[in-house]
Short mmCIF file of all heavy atoms in Angstrom, two decimals:
data_model
loop_
_atom_site.label_atom_id
_atom_site.label_comp_id
_atom_site.label_asym_id
_atom_site.label_seq_id
_atom_site.Cartn_x
_atom_site.Cartn_y
_atom_site.Cartn_z
N SER I 87 3.60 -11.46 -2.18
CA SER I 87 4.79 -11.31 -2.93
C SER I 87 5.00 -9.94 -3.50
O SER I 87 6.13 -9.59 -3.95
CB SER I 87 4.91 -12.36 -4.01
OG SER I 87 3.71 -12.09 -4.86
N SER I 88 3.95 -9.05 -3.60
CA SER I 88 4.06 -7.71 -4.10
C SER I 88 2.82 -6.99 -3.76
O SER I 88 1.85 -7.48 -3.27
CB SER I 88 4.08 -7.70 -5.65
OG SER I 88 2.86 -8.16 -6.16
N GLY I 89 3.01 -5.54 -3.84
CA GLY I 89 1.90 -4.69 -3.55
C GLY I 89 0.76 -5.00 -4.47
O GLY I 89 -0.46 -4.93 -4.11
N GLN I 90 1.08 -5.30 -5.72
CA GLN I 90 0.09 -5.59 -6.75
C GLN I 90 -0.74 -6.83 -6.26
O GLN I 90 -1.95 -6.78 -6.39
CB GLN I 90 0.81 -5.85 -8.04
CG GLN I 90 -0.04 -5.77 -9.25
CD GLN I 90 -0.42 -4.37 -9.62
OE1 GLN I 90 0.10 -3.43 -9.11
NE2 GLN I 90 -1.42 -4.25 -10.45
N SER I 91 -0.02 -7.86 -5.76
CA SER I 91 -0.84 -9.03 -5.39
C SER I 91 -1.64 -8.76 -4.12
O SER I 91 -2.66 -9.41 -3.84
CB SER I 91 0.07 -10.28 -5.25
OG SER I 91 1.16 -10.09 -4.51
N VAL I 93 -3.23 -5.90 -3.47
CA VAL I 93 -4.53 -5.37 -4.01
C VAL I 93 -5.36 -6.40 -4.63
O VAL I 93 -6.57 -6.53 -4.31
CB VAL I 93 -4.21 -4.18 -5.01
CG1 VAL I 93 -5.48 -3.62 -5.65
CG2 VAL I 93 -3.42 -3.11 -4.37
N LEU I 113 -5.65 6.95 -8.45
CA LEU I 113 -5.01 5.81 -7.89
C LEU I 113 -3.64 5.49 -8.65
O LEU I 113 -3.53 6.03 -9.80
CB LEU I 113 -5.88 4.48 -8.01
CG LEU I 113 -7.13 4.43 -7.12
CD1 LEU I 113 -7.93 3.15 -7.60
CD2 LEU I 113 -6.81 4.32 -5.71
N PHE I 114 -2.82 4.86 -8.09
CA PHE I 114 -1.64 4.27 -8.65
C PHE I 114 -1.95 3.57 -10.00
O PHE I 114 -2.96 2.89 -10.11
CB PHE I 114 -1.03 3.26 -7.64
CG PHE I 114 0.04 2.29 -8.24
CD1 PHE I 114 1.20 2.80 -8.72
CD2 PHE I 114 -0.12 0.91 -8.25
CE1 PHE I 114 2.18 1.94 -9.28
CE2 PHE I 114 0.78 0.09 -8.73
CZ PHE I 114 2.00 0.65 -9.24
N GLY I 116 -0.75 1.12 -11.68
CA GLY I 116 -0.86 -0.38 -11.65
C GLY I 116 -2.19 -0.88 -11.10
O GLY I 116 -2.75 -1.82 -11.52
N SER I 117 -2.75 -0.09 -10.06
CA SER I 117 -4.01 -0.54 -9.57
C SER I 117 -5.14 -0.25 -10.53
O SER I 117 -6.00 -1.07 -10.64
CB SER I 117 -4.35 0.27 -8.20
OG SER I 117 -3.32 -0.03 -7.24
N GLU I 157 -6.51 5.34 -1.92
CA GLU I 157 -5.17 5.48 -1.30
C GLU I 157 -5.26 6.50 -0.25
O GLU I 157 -6.04 7.48 -0.36
CB GLU I 157 -4.10 5.78 -2.40
CG GLU I 157 -3.93 4.67 -3.31
CD GLU I 157 -3.13 4.93 -4.56
OE1 GLU I 157 -2.57 6.04 -4.67
OE2 GLU I 157 -3.20 4.09 -5.54
N ILE I 159 -2.40 8.55 0.72
CA ILE I 159 -1.79 9.60 -0.04
C ILE I 159 -1.60 9.06 -1.52
O ILE I 159 -1.23 7.94 -1.65
CB ILE I 159 -0.37 9.97 0.49
CG1 ILE I 159 -0.50 10.52 1.89
CG2 ILE I 159 0.28 10.99 -0.42
CD1 ILE I 159 0.81 10.82 2.62
N VAL I 160 -2.06 9.86 -2.48
CA VAL I 160 -2.25 9.28 -3.85
C VAL I 160 -0.94 9.29 -4.55
O VAL I 160 -0.19 10.28 -4.64
CB VAL I 160 -3.25 10.10 -4.62
CG1 VAL I 160 -3.35 9.49 -5.99
CG2 VAL I 160 -4.64 10.02 -3.92
N ASN I 161 -0.59 8.11 -5.23
CA ASN I 161 0.52 8.01 -6.05
C ASN I 161 0.03 8.36 -7.50
O ASN I 161 -0.88 7.80 -7.97
CB ASN I 161 1.03 6.55 -6.09
CG ASN I 161 2.17 6.26 -7.01
OD1 ASN I 161 2.58 7.12 -7.81
ND2 ASN I 161 2.66 5.03 -6.97
N ASP I 186 -5.03 1.79 0.60
CA ASP I 186 -3.68 1.50 0.11
C ASP I 186 -2.90 2.55 0.78
O ASP I 186 -2.90 3.76 0.44
CB ASP I 186 -3.61 1.59 -1.40
CG ASP I 186 -2.25 1.18 -1.90
OD1 ASP I 186 -1.24 1.47 -1.13
OD2 ASP I 186 -2.08 0.75 -3.03
N ASN I 187 -2.06 2.16 1.85
CA ASN I 187 -1.35 3.16 2.60
C ASN I 187 0.13 3.19 2.23
O ASN I 187 0.92 3.58 3.09
CB ASN I 187 -1.54 2.77 4.15
CG ASN I 187 -1.20 3.79 5.02
OD1 ASN I 187 -1.44 5.11 4.73
ND2 ASN I 187 -0.72 3.58 6.26
N THR I 188 0.48 2.76 1.04
CA THR I 188 1.85 2.61 0.64
C THR I 188 2.57 3.98 0.69
O THR I 188 3.74 4.02 1.20
CB THR I 188 1.93 2.08 -0.82
OG1 THR I 188 1.27 0.88 -0.93
CG2 THR I 188 3.38 2.06 -1.33
N LEU I 189 2.03 5.06 0.18
CA LEU I 189 2.76 6.34 0.07
C LEU I 189 2.89 7.05 1.45
O LEU I 189 3.81 7.80 1.59
CB LEU I 189 2.16 7.19 -0.97
CG LEU I 189 2.90 7.13 -2.32
CD1 LEU I 189 2.70 5.81 -2.95
CD2 LEU I 189 2.47 8.18 -3.27
N VAL I 206 -3.72 -2.07 2.62
CA VAL I 206 -2.83 -2.75 1.86
C VAL I 206 -1.45 -1.92 1.67
O VAL I 206 -1.55 -0.65 1.78
CB VAL I 206 -3.32 -3.15 0.43
CG1 VAL I 206 -4.45 -4.12 0.55
CG2 VAL I 206 -3.75 -1.98 -0.32
N HIS I 207 -0.39 -2.59 1.50
CA HIS I 207 0.90 -2.01 1.26
C HIS I 207 1.67 -2.61 0.08
O HIS I 207 1.62 -3.84 0.00
CB HIS I 207 1.83 -2.11 2.54
CG HIS I 207 1.59 -1.14 3.62
ND1 HIS I 207 1.93 0.13 3.45
CD2 HIS I 207 0.97 -1.30 4.81
CE1 HIS I 207 1.45 0.77 4.62
NE2 HIS I 207 0.91 -0.09 5.42
N SER I 208 2.34 -1.77 -0.58
CA SER I 208 3.48 -2.29 -1.34
C SER I 208 4.65 -2.02 -0.37
O SER I 208 5.13 -0.94 -0.13
CB SER I 208 3.72 -1.54 -2.64
OG SER I 208 5.03 -1.75 -3.02
N THR I 209 5.19 -3.13 0.19
CA THR I 209 6.40 -2.99 1.08
C THR I 209 7.64 -2.71 0.31
O THR I 209 8.68 -2.48 0.89
CB THR I 209 6.65 -4.22 1.94
OG1 THR I 209 6.83 -5.37 1.13
CG2 THR I 209 5.31 -4.54 2.84
N SER I 210 7.56 -2.85 -1.05
CA SER I 210 8.63 -2.45 -1.91
C SER I 210 9.13 -1.02 -1.75
O SER I 210 10.10 -0.66 -2.19
CB SER I 210 8.25 -2.71 -3.38
OG SER I 210 7.36 -3.72 -3.53
N LYS I 211 8.29 -0.13 -1.22
CA LYS I 211 8.47 1.34 -1.14
C LYS I 211 9.08 1.66 0.20
O LYS I 211 10.13 1.07 0.57
CB LYS I 211 7.20 2.03 -1.43
CG LYS I 211 6.43 1.39 -2.64
CD LYS I 211 7.03 1.63 -3.97
CE LYS I 211 6.35 0.83 -5.11
NZ LYS I 211 4.90 1.04 -5.27
N VAL I 219 13.87 -5.10 -2.41
CA VAL I 219 12.97 -6.27 -2.66
C VAL I 219 11.56 -5.93 -2.75
O VAL I 219 11.05 -4.96 -2.08
CB VAL I 219 13.12 -7.27 -1.43
CG1 VAL I 219 14.42 -8.06 -1.53
CG2 VAL I 219 12.91 -6.69 -0.13
N ILE I 220 10.87 -6.60 -3.62
CA ILE I 220 9.43 -6.39 -3.87
C ILE I 220 8.67 -7.15 -2.72
O ILE I 220 9.00 -8.29 -2.46
CB ILE I 220 9.04 -6.90 -5.21
CG1 ILE I 220 9.88 -6.39 -6.31
CG2 ILE I 220 7.56 -6.80 -5.48
CD1 ILE I 220 9.64 -4.95 -6.61
N GLY I 221 7.49 -6.59 -2.31
CA GLY I 221 6.76 -7.29 -1.26
C GLY I 221 5.40 -6.59 -1.07
O GLY I 221 5.30 -5.35 -1.45
N GLY I 222 4.48 -7.26 -0.46
CA GLY I 222 3.20 -6.60 -0.24
C GLY I 222 2.58 -7.05 1.13
O GLY I 222 3.13 -8.09 1.68
N ILE I 374 9.66 3.90 -6.57
CA ILE I 374 9.55 5.10 -5.72
C ILE I 374 9.79 4.63 -4.30
O ILE I 374 9.92 3.53 -3.90
CB ILE I 374 8.10 5.61 -5.74
CG1 ILE I 374 7.07 4.53 -5.53
CG2 ILE I 374 7.83 6.38 -6.98
CD1 ILE I 374 5.68 5.01 -5.11
N ARG I 408 7.13 12.95 -12.22
CA ARG I 408 7.00 12.51 -10.90
C ARG I 408 8.44 12.41 -10.24
O ARG I 408 9.30 11.81 -10.82
CB ARG I 408 6.46 11.11 -10.87
CG ARG I 408 6.31 10.54 -9.42
CD ARG I 408 5.74 9.19 -9.47
NE ARG I 408 6.83 8.21 -9.74
CZ ARG I 408 6.61 6.84 -9.92
NH1 ARG I 408 5.36 6.39 -9.91
NH2 ARG I 408 7.65 6.00 -10.16
C1 LIG K 501 3.95 0.40 -6.07
C2 LIG K 501 2.48 0.49 -5.64
C3 LIG K 501 1.61 -0.73 -5.64
C4 LIG K 501 2.17 -2.02 -6.23
O1 LIG K 501 3.23 -2.51 -5.53
P1 LIG K 501 4.35 -3.45 -6.08
O2 LIG K 501 5.15 -3.90 -4.94
O3 LIG K 501 5.18 -2.74 -7.02
O4 LIG K 501 3.70 -4.66 -6.76
C5 LIG K 501 0.38 -0.66 -5.15
N1 LIG K 501 -0.01 0.55 -4.68
C6 LIG K 501 0.75 1.69 -4.64
C7 LIG K 501 0.13 2.98 -4.10
C8 LIG K 501 1.95 1.64 -5.04
O5 LIG K 501 2.76 2.76 -5.10
#
Side-chain angles (χ1 to χ4, degrees):
S87 60
S88 67
Q90 200 69 13
S91 51
V93 176
L113 289 172
F114 166 60
S117 299
E157 289 168 18
I159 298 177
V160 178
N161 178 355
D186 183 334
N187 201 32
T188 299
L189 263 63
V206 298
H207 277 287
S208 164
T209 63
S210 327
K211 319 291 170 56
V219 288
I220 305 288
I374 50 165
R408 180 185 81 187

